Amino acid sequence: MIEPKRGIPQYLPKNATGIQGFDELSYGGLPRNRISLLKGGPGSGKTVFALQSLVNAARQRDEPGIFVAFEERPQQIIANAAGFQWDLAALLRRKLFFMDANLSPDVVQSGEFDLRGLLAMLQAKKEEMGARWIVFDGIDVLLTLLQNPKSEIREIYRIRDWLAKNEVDAAIFTAKIDGHASAIANYGFLQFMVDCVIQFESRLDCGVAMHRIQVTKYRGSAFAKGEYPVSFGSGGMEIAGPEPAEIQQVASGERVSAGFERLDTMLGGGLFVGSSTLITGVPGTSKTTLSGKFAEAACGRGERTLFVSFDEGADRIVRNLTSVGIHLKPYLKSGLLRMYSGRTESVAAEDHLVKLKALIAEHRPLCMVIDPLSAITKAGGLAAARSVANRFIYTAKERKITVLVTAINEGDQPETEATDLQISTIADTWIHLSYLIRGGERNRALTIIKSRGTQHSNQVRELILSDAGPMLADVYTAGGEVLMGTLRWEKEHEERAKTLQRRSDFDQKRVSLELAEADTRARIKALEHDLERQRVELAAYFSDDEARMVSSSDREKSLRRIRSADLAGRATAGTATPREKPYGSNGSRKSGKKNKPEARDGS
Amino acid sequence: MVRKKKDPGASGPVAATAVVMVLYITDSGPNSVRAVANLEAICKEHLQDNFRLEIIDVLQYPLRALADGIVVTPSLAKLFPLPTATVVGNLSDKSDVLRALGIVE
């Protein structure tokens, strides 16, 4: 029993089957104490489902079960199930009982029979081993033997009553009912009587068998309505149940390198941990090289990495990557890197998913590459491949694996990718690689079409491969066209030459300006000298003049003294003041004479 | 639970050697009651006392029946003479039963 899920109407107690995906789509499993009918054509997975439910009940919850085989011999069923890791041998000792209910072809039938004896035997066995689950596998075979529609109904009722009385946790009938045709006359009645009907289907989808499951009836309970893909892995059947409507993935803010520095710069610092990156491009645009670089960088950080390739051997990839300076061999040896090469011919997309999940469970990678993911569309329908691609991305996100997948698009328009696998919408980062042919060259161009939550570059870069690994170069646009390769090289040279020219021009100009400045300075200096000389001359001239004036006034005084004339009144008024001044400031005149040479020295 | 039937007044073709049979029934179920009656009639007519019949009530001995590989009831197992044979049903079709027992009418 599992706890009823919150928010989902639940009227019936249920038993979990433990089959991945089924308990989700049936909101809990099979109805408790009721009969569930598994119907479908031969080879559609009914028996596996039924047996797996028993195995899970026995192994996970220690609930023993009885498997009544009407159609196949138990030995056959056990042998068929050996491919699954169920450890049936251990269970057979105590937890699982196979009842061989095959009527040998030699058995003669004479008149009517019933299931009283069978149920009595089952009851004894059930009590002996404490069984809680019962499977009636191939009940259609038994009912057909009854030959009489009335007997069929009677015996079905007999089983139902017996099950109700014996409180069997879950009873599973399987019946070969293909579509609407049935060998059982009371097929309609059987469907009516049981509480849960699960339809199994196996059909060819573009040459590859696709298994599907659909709950068509579930009395008293809601269930996911729809057909869900079924795949078979080592753990048994797996159903791609409905994805939870609400996505509850924790977004990490941590970044890891996408492979090399310039790409990280373009991505605004690298890829988010647990994000998914899609690299698209036509063949030969270095998708594998970028994948390899990503893997190498991951291993370099010491992170377990899984590299899945399709239709190309791991050895060959490692060798090819070595030529562009990507060395994966040491990591393969240390076990940090696991490489797996799958075939795609006639392998259903669902089976690829099972394999991928198994690889993830086995290697527990932190980073993962699938190159190319678009290979899963090779066999089978596109719709199935899309669903698988989507579910793979979700699976990886749930496990916080940083994923890089590549996809080949045949045209050179990135938009065409959207019509193919349609993973570009769920991938967090989308890098597109293309060729640009110009000037007789084919050059690789890298564009980041989107990168969620990142300030990514919108510029086209040229992707250059060398034995030092991939690197990115700026591209030039000239006349509205992107320049790459030789043209870019030429342009770069031109730019470099221009820069050099500019620099030398500048230097020249600077020197000449400096010279001019020095010249001017020199001239200023000379002029200053002149100025000084002139000042000195001027000062000298003044002092001579004063000396002259003093001597002339002295002469006048002495003359006046000599003549004793009072000529002051006759003398002009204008001359009186200058006469007064020299007398009044006799002392200062002397100091003035003294001061002048000092000032002259200072200038 | 072994019953031996002996009836000297039987007629018709009889088995050459003693026939060993086990009939698995479920107590008083209608098919079981009918099967016992039908088998008794056949034995009386064709085997006289040249047979050994064991009747097992599966309701009482379910694990024995399970071990014997019984699926439905009633079931009649002829163990001897070889080859063994099994007849299921209430044995209402006498000719089928005779053929299974190796008695040709």
Side-chain angles (χ1 to χ4, degrees):
Chain A
M1 268 305 292
I2 71 159
E3 288 301 309
K5 287 188 179 175
R6 240 181 299 151
I8 295 164
Q10 178 105 26
Y11 308 109
L12 275 178
K14 295 182 185 184
N15 293 310
T17 60
I19 294 174
Q20 192 176 345
F22 180 77
D23 295 336
E24 284 75 34
L25 76 88
S26 60
Y27 300 154
L30 299 174
R32 192 179 173 85
N33 298 131
R34 308 285 177 106
I35 303 169
S36 302
L37 172 67
L38 314 183
K39 61 171 185 139
S44 56
K46 306 180 295 295
T47 302
V48 174
F49 183 101
L51 183 54
Q52 195 173 346
S53 300
L54 285 196
V55 167
N56 287 343
R59 287 176 73 176
Q60 294 165 9
R61 294 185 302 278
D62 207 21
E63 296 172 2
I66 295 174
F67 191 100
V68 187
F70 290 107
E71 198 176 8
E72 280 178 286
R73 296 267 165 203
Q75 296 91 312
Q76 269 177 292
I77 295 173
I78 292 166
N80 293 346
F84 303 124
Q85 290 160 0
W86 288 348
D87 197 12
L88 277 186
L91 292 175
L92 285 171
R93 261 174 255 140
R94 223 165 46 79
K95 302 276 180 58
L96 193 56
F97 174 72
F98 277 90
M99 176 178 178
D100 187 352
N102 284 267
L103 283 177
S104 148
D106 298 332
V107 165
V108 177
Q109 191 177 351
S110 170
E112 277 192 13
F113 60 85
D114 56 58
L115 301 181
R116 286 159 171 264
L118 177 84
L119 294 176
M121 288 184 274
L122 285 177
Q123 187 163 354
K125 195 69 198 171
K126 177 184 175 293
E127 281 160 13
E128 184 191 276
M129 63 189 288
R132 301 178 59 182
W133 289 63
I134 289 188
V135 170
F136 294 86
D137 186 38
I139 196 142
D140 54 315
V141 173
L142 177 77
L143 296 180
T144 311
L145 286 173
L146 289 167
Q147 288 174 334
N148 175 345
K150 272 186 198 157
S151 311
E152 283 182 21
I153 293 180
R154 191 189 64 217
E155 295 311 316
I156 291 170
Y157 270 131
R158 197 192 300 282
I159 297 174
R160 191 195 65 173
D161 292 348
W162 178 83
L163 289 170
K165 203 168 70 194
N166 281 280
E167 290 184 342
V168 172
D169 274 4
I172 301 172
F173 287 4
T174 79
K176 277 190 305 301
I177 301 169
D178 225 345
H180 295 286
S182 167
I184 314 169
N186 286 294
Y187 146 70
F189 166 76
L190 188 63
Q191 292 217 86
F192 157 75
M193 195 212 60
V194 299
D195 292 283
C196 176
V197 178
I198 302 156
Q199 166 87 46
F200 288 76
E201 212 179 325
S202 168
R203 59 167 177 255
L204 279 180
D205 186 3
C206 302
V208 173
M210 287 288 308
H211 291 267
R212 305 248 156 199
I213 187 172
Q214 184 190 6
V215 176
T216 56
K217 167 185 174 177
Y218 204 138
R219 218 173 252 159
S221 167
F223 55 91
K225 293 166 185 68
E227 249 191 356
Y228 295 95
V230 172
S231 50
F232 299 90
S234 61
M237 170 182 281
E238 222 175 84
I239 295 156
E243 296 292 339
E246 191 186 0
I247 297 171
Q248 290 179 321
Q249 290 152 350
V250 182
S252 172
E254 204 186 320
R255 289 181 191 255
V256 290
S257 172
F260 53 102
E261 204 189 334
R262 282 206 68 173
L263 183 56
D264 292 341
T265 311
M266 279 185 82
L267 289 165
L271 302 170
F272 283 118
V273 170
S275 71
S276 52
T277 302
L278 168 70
I279 298 181
T280 55
V282 297
T285 43
S286 316
K287 295 183 296 297
T288 304
T289 307
L290 284 187
S291 307
K293 194 69 191 167
F294 169 73
E296 190 195 41
C299 290
R301 293 191 299 272
E303 295 177 1
R304 300 179 70 84
T305 304
L306 178 62
F307 195 113
V308 178
S309 55
F310 287 111
D311 294 330
E312 192 172 13
D315 242 22
R316 193 182 283 249
I317 291 172
V318 170
R319 186 201 64 195
N320 294 348
L321 287 175
T322 307
S323 72
V324 286
I326 297 167
H327 304 284
L328 297 176
K329 220 165 213 163
Y331 300 122
L332 267 176
K333 256 185 203 158
S334 71
L336 203 58
L337 176 67
R338 167 91 162 86
M339 292 189 84
Y340 170 81
S341 297
R343 283 200 187 286
T344 53
E345 213 55 53
S346 309
V347 179
E350 290 297 333
D351 294 339
H352 285 306
L353 185 64
V354 169
K355 184 68 202 174
L356 290 176
K357 282 184 175 175
L359 283 167
I360 289 173
E362 177 195 307
H363 191 65
R364 302 185 314 282
L366 286 173
C367 293
M368 185 167 175
V369 170
I370 301 182
D371 179 47
L373 184 61
S374 49
I376 62 169
T377 59
K378 269 197 188 166
L382 196 55
R386 267 180 208 157
S387 158
V388 163
N390 262 291
R391 276 180 284 134
F392 166 72
I393 300 278
Y394 281 127
T395 303
K397 277 189 182 168
E398 266 168 26
R399 290 168 171 75
K400 296 191 183 65
I401 300 171
T402 312
V403 170
L404 188 143
V405 300
T406 68
I408 294 168
N409 55 344
E410 302 297 336
D412 206 7
Q413 291 298 308
E415 292 76 24
T416 56
E417 193 278 337
T419 61
D420 200 1
L421 264 183
Q422 294 184 341
I423 48 169
S424 56
T425 53
I426 56 162
D428 297 307
T429 302
W430 180 6
I431 297 170
H432 183 65
L433 300 172
S434 56
Y435 282 129
L436 275 163
I437 304 175
R438 240 181 77 86
E441 279 185 1
R442 184 182 270 269
N443 292 297
R444 298 180 176 95
L446 181 147
T447 327
I448 296 172
I449 297 178
K450 73 165 183 183
S451 189
R452 285 183 189 145
T454 289
Q455 288 286 328
H456 63 88
S457 170
N458 63 351
Q459 290 188 309
V460 177
R461 290 278 187 281
E462 182 178 350
L463 181 64
I464 302 165
L465 301 183
S466 69
D467 52 11
M471 53 182 237
L472 293 171
D474 286 330
V475 295
Y476 289 91
T477 49
E481 293 229 42
V482 176
L483 299 184
M484 286 193 173
T486 307
L487 289 176
R488 173 181 56 75
W489 188 82
E490 280 170 359
K491 180 80 178 170
E492 272 175 358
H493 264 255
E494 204 178 297
E495 291 285 322
R496 213 170 295 143
K498 269 190 197 163
T499 310
L500 283 175
Q501 184 64 46
R502 237 188 336 261
R503 184 155 299 156
S504 75
D505 285 356
F506 173 78
D507 285 349
Q508 221 172 332
K509 186 92 181 167
R510 194 192 51 175
V511 168
S512 70
L513 282 174
E514 276 170 2
L515 283 173
E517 192 201 5
D519 185 45
T520 310
R521 263 184 215 288
R523 266 190 282 165
I524 289 171
K525 201 83 183 165
L527 285 171
E528 272 177 352
H529 281 295
D530 283 354
L531 183 67
E532 196 52 43
R533 208 176 52 237
Q534 284 158 7
R535 266 190 201 140
V536 171
E537 273 175 22
L538 189 64
Y541 173 73
F542 264 113
S543 60
D544 287 352
D545 182 48
E546 261 178 44
R548 255 197 315 276
M549 285 231 289
V550 167
S551 59
S552 67
S553 72
D554 283 351
R555 227 173 13 244
E556 201 175 329
K557 263 193 245 169
S558 58
L559 271 173
R560 225 182 276 167
R561 240 189 334 261
I562 294 162
R563 291 173 187 177
S564 303
D566 184 13
L567 292 173
R570 227 172 25 101
T572 56
T575 56
T577 314
R579 252 180 222 160
E580 279 305 306
K581 202 178 172 187
Y583 290 115
S585 58
N586 206 3
S588 70
R589 204 195 307 149
K590 271 179 184 162
S591 67
K593 270 183 183 173
K594 267 181 197 166
N595 285 343
K596 264 181 187 169
E598 276 171 31
R600 248 177 250 140
D601 288 343
S603 66
Chain B
M1 173 185 219
V2 179
R3 296 187 211 171
K4 236 183 180 175
K5 293 278 166 185
K6 200 178 171 184
D7 196 338
S11 62
V14 291
T17 51
V19 177
V20 180
M21 296 171 288
V22 185
L23 179 64
Y24 299 86
I25 56 158
T26 48
D27 187 37
S28 54
N31 282 323
S32 295
V33 170
R34 224 166 287 150
V36 171
N38 286 334
L39 185 60
E40 278 181 348
I42 289 167
C43 290
K44 187 176 179 181
E45 191 178 342
H46 298 283
L47 298 176
Q48 286 108 31
D49 62 347
N50 203 14
F51 68 94
R52 280 190 63 215
L53 174 65
E54 188 182 4
I55 295 177
I56 293 178
D57 183 354
V58 178
L59 299 188
Q60 279 187 47
Y61 303 98
L63 294 176
R64 157 87 197 269
L66 194 63
D68 290 350
I70 295 307
V71 180
V72 296
T73 48
S75 275
L76 174 67
K78 181 200 80 169
L79 305 178
F80 190 84
L82 295 175
T84 61
T86 308
V87 184
V88 298
N90 57 23
L91 310 180
S92 57
D93 190 332
K94 191 177 150 190
S95 60
D96 281 343
V97 180
L98 286 176
R99 221 178 0 260
L101 293 177
I103 303 163
V104 184
E105 247 181 311

